[in-house]
Amino acid sequence: MLWGRHDPFFDIAETLSWMQDLPRMEAHIFDGGHFLLETHAEPALSLMIEFIKRTQERTTQLP
């Protein structure tokens, strides 16, 4: 999950509760707002690409 700490629509408490319910969840909190990809595209893209690579590696290793 990529989340902007200044998002007026979603509170950080929601992100933290999802992390409690989904312990394997990966969350990255940016100093941004609701339109995070417009203001933090490069670091967000890097995290998304790394996530996709790791996910693809896991699925190709399944029997």
Side-chain angles (χ1 to χ4, degrees), residues 3-62:
W3 184 77
R5 74 175 68 239
H6 305 292
D7 190 325
F9 302 105
F10 299 100
D11 190 74
I12 192 166
E14 290 181 64
T15 301
L16 297 175
S17 70
W18 292 332
M19 291 178 73
Q20 289 175 348
D21 291 340
L22 305 166
R24 292 177 42 200
M25 186 179 115
E26 187 176 314
H28 301 275
I29 300 172
F30 288 87
D31 189 26
H34 187 70
F35 296 103
L36 189 64
L37 296 180
E38 292 181 10
T39 58
H40 294 76
E42 282 189 43
L45 178 61
S46 294
L47 290 167
M48 288 187 277
I49 289 171
E50 287 303 315
F51 175 80
I52 290 167
K53 286 180 183 177
R54 285 195 316 271
T55 304
Q56 286 177 339
E57 288 172 5
R58 287 183 200 143
T59 57
T60 58
Q61 294 174 0
L62 293 175

